[in-house]
């Protein structure tokens, strides 16, 4: 989630800190305690999902496998859908292998009827390999050229055990086709070492991400000269002159080829790889009430939304569409074709509408938009007990309590009075509890996919997400019950959408 609380600037520019009163931490609106949730299945599943799927490509692959095993049919964007979508059917479509839309069509759906949509993002802060990441060996260290994705390579990336994963494009020799294969080198390969504090000012920063946060991935002292210096590292010809692999670190090429059982390096056409924290997601706390993990933002709401869609009870009289849309590139503005600002969601809804009723007027998709409701599901800030003064009184969500509605007076969220009341009615019906978050006036708000999607289609919408601590850290914290809490509310949204929507007509 592209959110920041910029309360403190650098020590040189910030004013003297003023003591702030501690906010009273309440949920909104007041509600009786939530009924006990049966969360272990979702908790354990979420932990495994985070650990096993470190990149956006792995996450989408996991979700497509989950959908396929639960009766969803895959559609492709390049084919016609005219004879492939039926009432009562369950489908999904992906774009770029990094964005996904899944939907269920009601048995009684009619052209122009609405859709209940939960939308979020799957990408997370990371460091991506540069096109030519091979660097000259320095002082015997083999290093890797990487670039920060969004706020990656921040101070929390120092001294972490980093793996490498992503997708590799490989040419099949027999067919001549280019295929995409997922890879993850799950053992710790890279590390960005800190400078010991004994070196004084040099160890205090600020640090240059281009020159001082370059990962080390190996040692090479084979060419040590008598005076202790090293000549420049020579070019590799793995795969032959002009091959993609000749521009990459040779030992990395060999490691990936070995992992994918590729014998001919020249068949590796290209790849998109990134670093990730290899420490597994884990339960923490005296009663295991926490989840400590990387990439919680925003695998958390994405996981809960997909599981809710899969588990929602089908209704024989449903006349709407239930959908989950999960996007890439939210952390960098959503402007690419797999991002929320693209035509992926509106074009998918338009194609669904046309396939279900080819004779319906073209304006029926705009009627569909008007009759729909969007829940923009992105993690929000849980209250931090060590920094209570950074939070707004009565707007500080707690863990293991409920999904938090995110509001913003300046339109960074799509929440308004109507959409808030709508989601509250859903929560009332499914026995969920809502909280609320709003940034302080002296702090900077972030944003979500909500405003761009709701404004693009003229669709009612609310921003609501599960809370977490340490947003944009390489390692964050949420509640162990929060995955199940999210599933419960989002499932309630799918199941009660038509009923609640009738109250607002």
């Amino acid at each position: 989630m592209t959110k920041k609380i910029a309360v403190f600037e650098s020590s040189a520019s910030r004013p003297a800190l003023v003591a702030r009163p501690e906010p009273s931490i309440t949920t909104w609106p007041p509600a009786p305690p939530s009924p006990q949730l049966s969360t272990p299945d979702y908790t354990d599943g979420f932990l495994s999902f985070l650990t096993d799927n470190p990149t956006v490509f792995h996450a989408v692959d996991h979700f497509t496998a989950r959908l396929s095993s639960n009766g969803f049919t895959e559609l492709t964007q390049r084919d016609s859908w005219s004879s492939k979508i039926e009432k009562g059917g369950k489908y999904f479509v992906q774009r770029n292998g990094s964005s996904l839309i899944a939907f269920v069509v009601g048995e009684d759906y009619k052209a122009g009827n609405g859709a209940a949509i939960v939308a979020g993002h799957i990408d997370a802060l990371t460091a991506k390999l540069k096109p030519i990441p091979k660097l000259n060996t320095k002082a015997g260290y083999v290093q890797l050229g990487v670039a920060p994705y969004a706020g990656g390579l921040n101070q929390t990336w120092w001294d972490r055990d980093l793996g490498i994963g992503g997708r590799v494009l490989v040419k099949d020799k027999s067919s001549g086709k280019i295929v995409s294969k997922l890879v993850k080198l799950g053992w710790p390969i890279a590390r960005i070492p800190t400078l010991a504090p004994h070196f004084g000012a040099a160890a205090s920063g600020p640090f240059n991400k281009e020159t001082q946060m370059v990962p080390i991935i190996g040692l090479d002292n084979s060419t040590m000269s008598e005076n202790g210096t090293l000549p420049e590292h020579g070019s590799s010809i793995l795969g032959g002159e002009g091959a993609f692999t000749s521009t990459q670190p040779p030992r990395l090429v060999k490691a990936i080829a070995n992992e994918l059982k590729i014998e001919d390096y020249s068949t590796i056409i290209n790849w998109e790889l990134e670093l990730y924290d290899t420490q597994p997601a884990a339960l923490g706390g005296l009663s295991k009430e926490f989840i400590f993990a990387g990439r919680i933002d925003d695998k958390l709401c994405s996981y809960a939304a997909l599981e809710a869609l899969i588990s929602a009870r089908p209704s024989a009289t449903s006349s709407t569409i239930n959908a989950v849309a999960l996007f890439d590139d939210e952390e960098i503005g959503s402007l690419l074709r797999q991002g929320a600002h693209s035509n992926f969601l509106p074009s998918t809804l338009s194609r669904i509408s046309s396939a279900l009723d080819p004779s319906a007027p073209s304006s029926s998709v705009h009627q569909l938009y008007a009759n729909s409701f969007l829940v923009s599901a992105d993690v929000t800030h849980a209250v931090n007990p060590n920094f209570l003064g950074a939070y707004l009184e009565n707007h500080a969500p707690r863990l293991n309590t409920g999904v938090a509605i995110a509001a913003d007076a300046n339109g960074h969220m799509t929440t308004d009075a109507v959409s808030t009341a709508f989601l509250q009615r859903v929560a009332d019906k499914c026995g969920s509890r809502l909280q609320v978050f709003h940034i302080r006036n002296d702090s900077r708000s972030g944003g979500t996919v909500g405003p761009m999607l709701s404004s693009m289609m003229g669709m009612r919408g609310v921003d609501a997400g599960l809370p977490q601590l340490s947003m944009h850290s390489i390692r964050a914290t949420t509640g162990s019950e929060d995955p199940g809490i999210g599933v419960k509310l989002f499932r309630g949204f799918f199941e009660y959408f038509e009923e609640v929507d009738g109250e607002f007509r």
Side-chain angles (χ1 to χ4, degrees):
M1 185 176 196
T2 48
K3 294 180 178 177
K4 296 180 181 177
I5 296 183
V7 177
F8 306 124
E9 302 296 335
S10 67
S11 58
S13 61
R14 70 181 183 227
L17 299 183
V18 178
R20 296 175 174 172
E22 293 187 357
S24 59
I25 311 302
T26 62
T27 55
W28 174 91
S34 299
Q36 286 294 106
L37 292 170
S38 178
T39 60
D41 289 343
Y42 292 114
T43 302
D44 294 341
F46 181 61
L47 292 173
S48 297
F49 165 66
L50 282 180
T51 301
D52 296 341
N53 301 282
T55 76
V56 65
F57 302 113
H58 288 87
V60 169
D61 184 68
H62 167 87
F63 287 142
T64 59
R66 282 285 292 146
L67 292 166
S68 295
S69 65
N70 282 275
F72 285 71
T73 299
E74 183 169 12
L75 304 170
T76 62
Q77 290 186 290
R78 299 178 73 167
D79 293 337
S80 171
W81 295 359
S82 60
S83 60
K84 296 183 178 179
I85 299 180
E86 299 176 348
K87 296 176 182 179
K90 302 188 291 185
Y91 308 91
F92 68 92
V93 60
Q94 56 177 305
R95 179 178 284 187
N96 189 50
S98 62
S99 292
L100 173 75
I101 296 175
F103 59 96
V104 179
V105 183
E107 292 280 1
D108 291 339
Y109 183 81
K110 295 179 177 60
N113 286 5
I117 304 170
V118 179
H121 72 94
I122 327 176
D123 60 317
L125 271 62
T126 187
K128 298 193 175 189
L129 271 64
K130 293 177 179 177
I132 303 177
K134 184 168 59 175
L135 301 176
N136 291 332
T137 299
K138 290 194 291 188
Y141 290 101
V142 180
Q143 293 182 283
L144 190 67
V146 297
Y149 175 85
L153 290 186
N154 60 44
Q155 67 274 14
T156 65
W157 283 66
W158 293 101
D159 294 330
R160 299 296 303 180
D161 297 342
L162 304 174
I164 295 177
R167 68 175 174 184
V168 180
L169 300 182
V170 181
K171 185 171 184 177
D172 186 288
K173 282 190 169 183
S174 59
S175 67
K177 300 288 187 181
I178 307 298
V179 297
S180 178
K181 297 186 177 185
L182 299 185
V183 67
K184 56 180 178 180
L185 305 180
W187 70 94
I189 292 174
R191 176 170 281 246
I192 304 170
T194 53
L195 184 66
H198 309 75
F199 288 91
S204 301
F207 301 102
N208 187 309
K209 293 183 179 181
E210 180 64 31
T211 61
Q212 295 173 310
M213 296 193 73
V214 184
I216 57 173
I217 59 172
L219 292 172
D220 182 3
N221 293 319
S222 61
T223 54
M224 179 75 73
S225 65
E226 292 183 2
N227 62 3
T229 62
L230 286 168
E232 288 192 0
H233 205 65
S235 298
S236 169
I237 54 171
L238 281 183
E241 291 289 348
F244 167 76
T245 49
S246 69
T247 67
Q248 306 299 304
R251 288 162 63 185
L252 177 61
V253 172
K254 293 177 181 178
I256 289 175
N258 182 65
E259 188 75 15
L260 296 179
K261 297 180 171 51
I262 296 172
E263 296 181 356
D264 184 352
Y265 301 134
S266 68
T267 62
I268 299 176
I269 305 302
N270 213 309
W271 58 38
E272 289 180 70
L273 301 177
E274 64 187 58
L275 303 181
Y276 64 89
D277 181 39
T278 60
Q279 185 176 352
L283 293 175
L286 291 173
S287 301
K288 297 184 176 180
E289 56 264 72
F290 299 124
I291 290 174
F292 302 145
R295 304 173 294 279
I296 288 177
D297 179 8
D298 192 7
K299 304 292 192 294
L300 177 57
C301 291
S302 298
Y303 176 86
L306 249 295
E307 292 298 327
L309 183 68
I310 290 171
S311 64
R313 296 188 303 267
S315 171
T317 59
S318 174
S319 62
T320 60
I321 297 169
N322 290 338
V324 169
L326 304 176
F327 298 98
D328 193 4
D329 299 323
E330 187 271 349
E331 296 289 4
I332 56 171
S334 300
L335 294 176
L336 302 181
R337 72 183 188 94
Q338 57 268 20
H341 212 289
S342 71
N343 70 341
F344 191 23
L345 181 56
S347 67
T348 298
L349 293 175
S350 178
R351 295 185 70 178
I352 295 170
S353 178
S354 298
L356 289 170
D357 190 351
S359 64
S362 59
S363 61
S364 63
V365 69
H366 299 289
Q367 185 181 1
L368 183 159
Y369 296 158
N371 283 318
S372 298
F373 192 96
L374 170 74
V375 176
S376 169
D378 201 350
V379 289
T380 192
H381 300 286
V383 63
N384 186 322
N386 297 323
F387 299 92
L388 292 179
Y391 295 81
L392 183 64
E393 187 175 7
N394 298 322
H395 300 77
R398 295 185 178 191
L399 301 178
N400 287 339
T401 300
V403 171
I405 291 178
D408 185 82
N410 294 296
H412 294 101
M413 308 292 165
T414 192
T415 303
D416 59 24
V418 173
S419 62
T420 299
F422 191 106
L423 193 62
Q424 181 61 55
R425 291 295 295 133
V426 168
D428 292 341
K429 290 184 177 296
C430 69
S432 291
R433 187 177 188 176
L434 296 180
Q435 306 185 83
V436 68
F437 177 81
H438 194 292
I439 202 77
R440 287 176 56 101
N441 291 344
D442 52 2
S443 298
R444 185 174 68 119
S445 177
T448 70
V449 301
M452 66 185 72
L453 289 174
S454 61
S455 61
M456 186 188 307
M457 296 176 286
M459 190 178 292
R460 295 167 295 169
V462 66
D463 268 284
L466 292 158
Q468 70 156 91
L469 288 168
S470 307
M471 189 178 292
H472 288 188
S473 172
I474 197 171
R475 195 85 177 161
T477 300
T478 191
S480 59
E481 293 185 28
D482 281 317
I485 288 173
V487 172
K488 183 177 182 180
L489 179 67
F490 298 149
R491 183 171 58 205
F493 172 60
F494 292 134
E495 293 176 349
Y496 292 104
F497 168 66
E498 283 186 272
E499 184 178 338
V500 172
D501 189 43
E503 301 176 9
F504 287 81
R505 291 189 68 87

